[in-house]
Amino acid sequence: MSSTSSASTSSAAFTEMSANIPSEIISDILTRLPVKSLTRFKSVSKSMLAFLGNPEFVKQHLERANLKNPNLVLKHDSKLFYVEDEEWSKARRLPLPFSLCLEKVEISGSCNGILCISDQQCNQDIFLLNPSTGVFKHLPFSGFDIAAVENSFTTIGFGYHQAEDDYKVIRCVYIYDKPFIDIDSYECEARVYSLKAGEWKDIGAIPYHLGYKAAIWFGNDFLIWKATVGLGRTGRYLIVSYDMSKEEFKEIPQPIVNYNDELHMEVSVFDGLVSTFYLSKYDEAHIWSMKEYGVTDSWELRFVIKLPWRVENYNYILLKPLIILKNGEILIEAGEKARILHDPKKDSYRIINPIRGVPRRFLVTPIVGSLVSPFDYHQG
């Protein structure tokens, strides 16, 4: 049977099905399917294409996809690979038609199935890419008054702003007067891009030195960074959030802990909560989570992870809990060479089998498989 007749048959079948089955049931069935299958259906007919592109269906599919274990984006140097199968057994190379625009390819955040990609150097070129559909958008230049130069640092945040049903990218540039003497002596400028408005907005200087090159999206309205004050032993870490509704930065209180200087602190969003990871040179990771956003007393020590073996050629600072799976296991990254699953109930560990189609060394970004388009702001 030719592809034309096959498409005609499928189109007729969909038309007949939609005429006899309530649209709510059809939608319920289709929201359970992975994006890879739904993408094939788009060529069946114009009515199917319109159905799958309907913002309400995209939203329902995203909500159901968030109930499953995530897909994985694997980064090896400036190459990206995508793992879509539930077993995480094989990867495919992600085509990046825009890679020639970037000195290097870096992931600067992810949200609702969309990656924010830049070179994390001058960051003039920023792209939003849905790895499941291959659709990408090149953001216009931010037009900063101060240019990123040798003694500069750039950080990016990307997230969904539920209150305005919009996706936003924030880009901050720091120019240092005395980069190796006084890290707090700098000129700073920040701008926010709205996918809905299609333009950048100047939000002025930032009262904090954001230490991450990429923020973490949290709670539909906030972006979270680890920030720093001072250098060396006199320096200290802060947790800073950007409220997309109020367009303001704010320090978040940290848990009150009695750890010594042998621990390295990282900030993330873990299991849907603002969290801190205290990483020990004795191969322990203490995970604290803020049960009620902004409330100091709501911090709770949730997990103490102690690896029972030494992973070859890795530094404890690279130990990174990534996500809690639906079965309760915690996916942990130990540098570029090892991914570990920890079952906190059984206190057991197992190394994930090698993934076919990707080099041995890579970094992992968990991401939901979605139909959200970087061109359609109303699909959060």
Side-chain angles (χ1 to χ4, degrees), residues 120-131:
Q120 289 191 349
Q121 309 249 351
C122 64
N123 285 313
Q124 286 289 350
D125 286 293
I126 301 174
F127 297 86
L128 301 181
L129 166 71
N130 183 324

Side-chain angles (χ1 to χ4, degrees), residues 182-193:
D182 183 6
I183 198 172
D184 296 317
S185 176
Y186 56 77
E187 182 182 1
C188 173
E189 187 177 349
R191 295 196 173 187
V192 174
Y193 179 82

Side-chain angles (χ1 to χ4, degrees), residues 54-185:
N54 181 283
E56 189 58 34
F57 175 79
V58 173
K59 182 177 181 180
Q60 292 172 0
H61 182 270
L62 175 64
E63 290 173 350
R64 182 151 275 166
N66 276 319
L67 299 177
K68 305 174 185 177
N69 285 332
N71 296 339
L72 304 178
V73 174
L74 315 178
K75 180 183 175 297
H76 172 77
D77 296 333
S78 285
K79 302 181 182 70
L80 298 183
F81 300 82
Y82 197 37
V83 181
E84 300 171 273
D85 62 307
E86 294 182 3
E87 296 77 23
W88 294 345
S89 62
K90 57 184 178 181
R92 63 178 174 87
R93 174 84 177 270
L94 275 177
L96 302 174
F98 50 80
S99 59
L100 293 178
C101 298
L102 304 173
E103 186 173 331
K104 58 187 296 191
V105 173
E106 298 288 357
I107 296 175
S108 299
S110 67
C111 169
N112 288 346
I114 298 180
L115 293 172
C116 181
I117 296 176
S118 72
D119 60 11
Q120 289 191 349
Q121 309 249 351
C122 64
N123 285 313
Q124 286 289 350
D125 286 293
I126 301 174
F127 297 86
L128 301 181
L129 166 71
N130 183 324
S132 295
T133 64
V135 177
F136 70 90
K137 179 181 178 68
H138 185 190
L139 302 191
F141 287 148
S142 50
F144 273 59
D145 294 327
I146 58 176
V149 294
E150 183 177 353
N151 293 330
S152 67
F153 175 80
T154 302
T155 182
I156 289 178
F158 168 60
Y160 173 62
H161 186 195
Q162 186 178 44
E164 295 184 4
D165 190 19
D166 193 7
Y167 286 87
K168 295 186 176 180
V169 176
I170 179 170
R171 178 177 178 239
C172 315
V173 177
Y174 296 83
I175 306 296
Y176 302 101
D177 297 328
K178 306 170 183 176
F180 301 106
I181 301 173
D182 183 6
I183 198 172
D184 296 317
S185 176

Side-chain angles (χ1 to χ4, degrees), residues 10 15 42 51 58-60 64-65 67 70 75 98 120 136 153 166 197 227 233 259 288 298 319 323 332 362 372:
S10 299
T15 302
K42 286 186 174 182
F51 187 92
V58 173
K59 182 177 181 180
Q60 292 172 0
R64 182 151 275 166
L67 299 177
K75 180 183 175 297
F98 50 80
Q120 289 191 349
F136 70 90
F153 175 80
D166 193 7
R233 292 188 175 274
Y259 299 134
W288 289 75
S298 69
L319 191 66
I323 194 170
I332 304 168
F362 55 82
V372 175

